[in-house]
Amino acid sequence: MMKKRIGIIGTGTAGLQLAYSLKNDFDVTLFHYEEPDEVRHGRIRSTQVHFHPTLDREQRFQMPGTDTAPSIQTIHFSMGQQKLFVGKLAGAATSVDQRMAYSKAMDDLVQQGVNFRKTRVARDEIHALAESFDLLIDSSGKSGPLPAFPVEAGLSPFLAPQRKCIVGYFKGVAPVEPEGISITVVPGAGEMFEIPALTEQGAVTILFIEALPEGMLDVFKPVKSAQAFEEQMKSMLRDHFPEIYSRVDLDRFALANETSYLQTAVTPVVHRPYLMLNGTLVLGCGDSVFLGDPITGQGCNTASYCAEQLYETLIAYKESAWDEKVGIDYWSRTRPYVAEVTEWTNAMTGPMPEHIVQMLLKAAADQQAADQIAHWFEQPKKAHEAFFQQTY
Ligand SMILES: Cc1cc2nc3c(=O)[nH]c(=O)nc-3n(C[C@H](O)[C@H](O)[C@H](O)COP(=O)(O)OP(=O)(O)OC[C@H]3O[C@@H](n4cnc5c(N)ncnc54)[C@H](O)[C@@H]3O)c2cc1C
């Protein structure tokens, strides 16, 4: 029997995990507008923390791992200048530069016989493309979606970005100990995330500012060069993050290279991830349909969770027709998780609720409470419970 044909648009976290999981049972074609080498030498894209449930899924589908990435074991949390606690994660997390991870996986998939077409799929090509496949998956990331998936109004309260995202990959910052992610909240202005990561240039420290638009941290707009970015980050650390500044070696402090910085902003929005086009099922997976602010570091984890659920759905329907029913099943499997992560993430962009402030203060004197907060990032359901059900 002929294998069913699946077209996957985009070779990011969602598209790549889908390709690995589906390639043995189906005839998979990947669409992307760059060769692996162009991805490898492009600009940074994310801070890409993969928490342990995502790493477990990548292992399940035999995706290439990177053992040399710094092992992220803890979450350090400070409020203003006050260090509150260090929570221990249940399992180690990693951050591997997406340019490195994506290009490696693309090369590997092609070697394993997955079809690759170098093209940027245009919105008006979707109809024609759908006709050549039994299923088309839009995993084109935050520039999507390509087809007109309807917006889920109840999960999409914003009309504009809630943060400016300012990211640089730096050399010359001594890591926090024990090694982990450090989060500093500056009430009314935003957050700073410090993340140890692996790149082609070796180990780096990611400095990631989430600035409230027009607030005190939103000062990178005029920055147009790597050198200006370095200078602005240096004064930002000196003026607002003295603890990080105390770990900077001023002689070595520099971006890993001239493509290692990024400024962006996303308007969070959730779409219903299925529709029929001329009799072909089209599904969405990852940021194209489930787009959140990076403040909770959940985008890759949501993309990976939903990609696994999509795999399970397609295997369950392997021998039957692929129609709207399959889309409804996929959405009913993923909707609870997407709703929890979205509501938690959206709440994090607002003022911190008083009962959460109390939990953070309690964690300063209670290691178990600190660990439980660290686990929010691995199991967003727990964060959602803490924010909305107050079961603590
Ligand atoms: C500043 C920042 C920090 C972040 N930090 C974290 C974090 O710490 N942890 C975390 O889990 N998430 C984080 N995220 C989010 C995370 O990076 C994304 O959620 C994740 O990469 C989504 O995966 P994806 O496969 O949906 O999209 P992507 O990884 O963006 O991949 C989409 C792919 O589709 C391609 N594409 C786009 N349009 C087309 C087209 N028309 N035709 C063909 N190909 C196309 C793109 O080039 C890309 O290869 C962060 C995001 C930002 C912006």
Side-chain angles (χ1 to χ4, degrees):
M1 203 172 104
M2 283 262 289
K3 285 183 175 175
K4 286 194 169 86
R5 287 160 308 162
I6 303 177
I8 299 177
I9 305 165
T11 54
T13 309
L16 291 168
Q17 188 184 305
L18 284 165
Y20 273 94
S21 63
L22 297 168
K23 67 181 167 40
N24 298 334
D25 295 279
F26 306 106
D27 180 359
V28 171
T29 302
L30 282 168
F31 292 86
H32 187 55
Y33 54 85
E34 290 165 315
E35 300 285 346
D37 249 355
E38 295 172 84
V39 174
R40 195 172 280 121
H41 297 117
R43 180 168 288 278
I44 61 161
R45 320 160 45 98
S46 176
T47 69
Q48 72 258 320
V49 178
H50 288 198
F51 289 96
H52 81 85
T54 294
L55 297 176
D56 292 347
R57 285 186 286 268
E58 290 170 359
Q59 213 170 23
R60 173 182 180 194
F61 298 120
Q62 296 173 329
M63 297 179 68
T66 314
D67 304 339
T68 49
S71 173
I72 296 170
Q73 309 268 357
T74 58
I75 306 277
H76 296 237
F77 192 93
S78 300
M79 186 80 85
Q81 311 295 349
Q82 194 189 357
K83 176 101 178 219
L84 290 183
F85 61 84
V86 181
K88 193 159 173 18
L89 293 166
T94 60
S95 169
V96 177
D97 189 341
Q98 285 183 340
R99 297 171 298 180
M100 186 176 173
Y102 290 1
S103 52
K104 189 170 169 186
M106 287 165 79
D107 278 332
D108 182 44
L109 283 166
V110 169
Q111 267 196 341
Q112 293 193 43
V114 170
N115 309 305
F116 176 72
R117 277 196 228 159
K118 185 179 175 178
T119 178
R120 184 189 293 272
V121 178
R123 285 206 162 79
D124 59 10
E125 287 171 343
I126 289 285
H127 267 79
L129 203 59
E131 279 169 16
S132 344
F133 292 97
D134 297 296
L135 167 68
L136 203 53
I137 302 175
D138 176 8
S139 48
S140 62
K142 61 180 185 299
S143 63
L146 291 164
F149 295 119
V151 170
E152 287 279 316
L155 293 173
S156 309
F158 301 124
L159 295 173
Q162 302 302 294
R163 290 289 188 280
K164 301 273 189 74
C165 308
I166 302 147
V167 183
Y169 290 12
F170 284 94
K171 301 275 190 184
V173 186
V176 289
E177 284 176 20
E179 194 151 31
I181 296 169
S182 144
I183 305 175
T184 306
V185 175
V186 184
E191 299 77 22
M192 165 70 91
F193 298 84
E194 187 190 340
I195 302 163
L198 183 69
T199 69
E200 300 244 335
Q201 290 78 40
V204 296
T205 301
I206 299 179
L207 297 175
F208 170 22
I209 298 166
E210 280 257 307
L212 260 94
E214 310 304 328
M216 190 172 73
L217 304 178
D218 183 14
V219 293
F220 282 71
K221 208 166 162 190
V223 169
K224 302 283 180 237
S225 71
Q227 203 194 347
F229 191 94
E230 284 170 7
E231 287 307 317
Q232 186 62 269
M233 187 60 87
K234 210 185 291 175
S235 24
M236 172 67 77
L237 295 180
R238 191 189 53 223
D239 297 346
H240 301 296
F241 302 95
E243 191 281 323
I244 301 177
Y245 192 66
S246 71
R247 286 184 280 112
V248 168
D249 173 349
L250 288 174
D251 293 335
R252 287 184 55 234
F253 186 72
L255 287 167
N257 68 15
E258 65 288 353
T259 54
S260 296
Y261 71 102
L262 156 81
Q263 297 202 55
T264 186
V266 300
T267 302
V269 54
V270 173
H271 291 84
R272 191 195 80 186
Y274 65 89
L275 52 74
M276 296 297 290
L277 272 188
N278 297 345
T280 300
L281 178 64
V282 185
L283 301 176
C285 191
D287 280 3
S288 66
V289 281
F290 313 130
L291 182 59
D293 187 278
I295 192 164
T296 50
Q298 293 300 313
C300 298
N301 300 295
T302 304
S304 164
Y305 175 87
C306 294
E308 183 179 54
Q309 292 303 317
L310 179 45
Y311 162 78
E312 297 290 359
T313 311
L314 295 179
I315 292 298
Y317 288 87
K318 190 175 173 187
E319 310 300 341
S320 33
W322 283 356
D323 54 19
E324 196 174 32
K325 209 159 121 271
V326 177
I328 294 170
D329 193 358
Y330 163 55
W331 186 216
S332 65
R333 282 171 188 254
T334 45
R335 199 180 192 287
Y337 186 102
V338 170
E340 281 161 359
V341 81
T342 301
E343 285 168 359
W344 169 44
T345 302
N346 290 345
M348 286 283 286
T349 63
M352 193 89 79
E354 186 50 34
H355 76 281
I356 296 295
V357 173
Q358 291 310 320
M359 280 182 81
L360 296 169
L361 293 174
K362 180 174 172 236
D366 177 345
Q367 189 57 45
Q368 212 184 345
D371 295 348
Q372 273 167 10
I373 291 171
H375 299 167
W376 290 356
F377 296 89
E378 301 169 308
Q379 304 286 348
K381 188 184 196 46
K382 293 185 180 167
H384 190 266
E385 278 168 12
F387 269 72
F388 299 104
Q389 295 174 15
Q390 305 196 15
T391 54
Y392 58 92

